[in-house]
Amino acid sequence: MPEQANPAENVTSPEYLGKYQALVHDALRDCLASPDTPLGTMLRYHMGFESPEGEPQESVAGKRLRPALCLYVCEAVGGAVEDALPAAAALELIHNFSLIHDDIQDQDLERRGRATVWSIWGKSSGIVAGNALRTVADSTLYLLRQSDAPPAAALEVVQTLTARCLELVEGQRMDLNFESRLDVGPDEYLDMVSRKTGALVEAAMHMGALLGGATAAQVERLARCGRLLGLTFQARDDVLGIWGDPALMGKATGADIRRRKKSLPVLFGFSGTTGAGRERLEQLYRADDEMDDEDVAAVMGILDAANAEESAQSVAEDKGTLAMDEARAAGIPEEAVQELHDLAHFFAHRAF
């Protein structure tokens, strides 16, 4: 991006996204208002609207940056946010269906400071809840028929979101495959992340541009910008997963190491370490028992020696720069370019 910043600075999310996040919040609540059944309670609980007992509750429900970005791009290219709201809500529901299933596969007991769906209702019910949320997303897309969106654009939105959802699932399959391998390199990892994280951010900007009436060339450029912003976000997320402030992240320093997660810094550690250091790293990542504090410290020492934090942070900044190149080439208003720059800056330098 145009200027460099201290990666440790506490950069905040751009304020202009707030109004779009509020619109998405209300739309999601409407989408999940029924059924009044145990399954409905599970879905509303995961989205932060109810307690496990079905009582109304407002809980932390994620940043909702993807749907907000969809609405923002729609308006930035001259469209009305109301026309893109069904697509934005469907996008967030798909993201959350994947999170419910991820929690089961990763055996995570908490998400956003609350117990995960499967840890309350069981794995089988968690799988059903994730599938149900995916179906609600499909139903939500049908609301595009009630908007002023041209039928051709609405059809392309459905095709786009379906294709990117399939990419997301393939990315998760790749990620699971990586768990048993020690030969994964940074490039292969970024290919996986491009699918698992980048695909839905691309979908957000692609759909927003389509429904806002952008030209085909603008849609293509903004979609590529979204893919790169997704990579920016994930690379920074990987840095925070190891070196993030525990008070801001809600988890201990080195949490991703303790889980033996093959994140980007770890892969830079493997590729940049030889001899006894490499052997020690392989030994620690092959073991079955949980890493203790001494093991985590050993891994972090190896990563520090390989400059893994700096390498991963450079990826975040480089992808952010490429994203902004696409935004400028899209020919959107200069104000929108600057606001997307602010978002790219946040993605690459956020502290949480």
Side-chain angles (χ1 to χ4, degrees):
M1 288 167 292
E3 78 277 355
Q4 297 297 313
N6 179 0
E9 66 179 291
N10 188 5
V11 181
T12 58
S13 177
E15 290 185 5
Y16 67 83
L17 290 180
K19 71 170 183 177
Y20 303 108
Q21 290 165 318
L23 288 171
V24 171
H25 178 87
D26 293 342
L28 289 170
R29 183 185 289 279
D30 291 343
C31 291
L32 295 169
S34 61
D36 188 15
T37 63
L39 177 60
T41 294
M42 291 167 65
L43 304 187
R44 290 187 290 273
Y45 168 80
H46 174 76
M47 298 301 295
F49 297 134
E50 288 186 2
S51 71
E53 296 73 34
E55 296 298 324
Q57 189 178 71
E58 287 293 340
S59 301
V60 176
K63 300 179 180 69
R64 291 176 177 162
L65 291 170
R66 296 165 186 80
L69 186 56
C70 177
L71 298 182
Y72 169 76
V73 170
C74 176
E75 197 164 54
V77 298
V81 292
E82 293 78 10
D83 292 340
L85 200 50
L91 175 66
E92 183 67 3
L93 291 169
I94 285 176
H95 172 56
N96 278 274
F97 121 77
S98 74
L99 295 182
I100 291 177
H101 284 185
D102 280 1
D103 288 340
I104 296 171
Q105 292 167 327
D106 295 341
Q107 302 287 291
D108 285 336
L109 299 177
E110 286 192 8
R111 178 173 292 279
R112 301 163 183 158
R114 306 167 82 212
T116 51
V117 168
W118 78 268
S119 70
I120 298 175
W121 287 282
K123 292 181 181 179
S124 296
S125 292
I127 292 171
V128 170
N131 292 344
L133 210 55
R134 177 68 182 87
T135 302
V136 175
D138 290 337
S139 299
T140 301
L141 277 180
Y142 296 154
L143 297 175
L144 285 172
R145 295 177 299 175
Q146 302 172 14
S147 72
D148 292 331
L155 178 59
E156 187 173 343
V157 163
V158 174
Q159 293 171 327
T160 296
L161 192 51
T162 300
R164 300 294 80 78
C165 180
L166 185 58
E167 266 197 278
L168 162 68
V169 173
E170 174 60 17
Q172 175 65 2
R173 185 207 65 81
M174 294 171 68
D175 197 15
L176 292 172
N177 174 260
F178 290 174
E179 290 181 1
S180 60
R181 293 173 50 194
L182 294 179
D183 62 342
V184 180
D187 289 343
E188 188 176 5
Y189 175 82
L190 289 172
D191 179 43
M192 179 274 290
V193 167
S194 177
R195 301 166 190 269
K196 187 172 178 178
T197 304
L200 289 192
V201 186
E202 175 181 319
M205 297 188 70
H206 188 151
M207 296 189 303
L210 268 175
L211 295 169
T215 67
Q218 287 177 317
V219 170
E220 183 178 356
R221 289 284 190 181
L222 290 170
R224 286 204 293 265
C225 175
R227 177 79 63 158
L228 290 161
L229 284 175
L231 289 169
T232 303
F233 185 94
Q234 188 61 55
R236 180 61 181 166
D237 207 56
D238 286 359
V239 171
L240 294 174
I242 296 176
W243 293 282
D245 183 342
L248 295 174
M249 299 296 294
K251 55 184 179 181
T253 299
D256 283 356
I257 293 175
R258 200 174 297 274
R259 296 173 56 191
R260 292 186 173 84
K261 184 176 180 181
K262 307 275 181 40
S263 62
L264 188 58
V266 171
L267 298 179
F268 276 123
F270 271 104
S271 64
T273 305
T274 58
R278 171 75 186 217
E279 290 178 8
R280 177 61 173 150
L281 201 55
E282 289 185 1
Q283 178 190 41
L284 289 166
Y285 273 80
R286 281 200 184 101
D288 294 327
D289 53 324
E290 183 175 334
M291 285 196 193
D292 57 25
D293 292 344
E294 185 177 342
D295 293 334
V296 172
V299 172
M300 294 187 72
I302 294 170
L303 298 186
D304 288 342
N307 294 317
E309 180 179 6
E310 292 82 356
S311 296
Q313 180 61 32
S314 291
V315 170
E317 294 172 8
D318 290 346
K319 297 303 181 183
T321 296
L322 292 173
M324 288 313 304
D325 289 344
E326 296 292 347
R328 292 189 190 88
I332 57 177
E334 183 57 35
E335 180 182 3
V337 171
Q338 181 56 49
E339 288 172 336
L340 285 174
H341 171 272
D342 294 342
L343 182 64
H345 183 79
F346 169 66
F347 279 8
H349 298 284
R350 61 198 173 89
F352 59 93

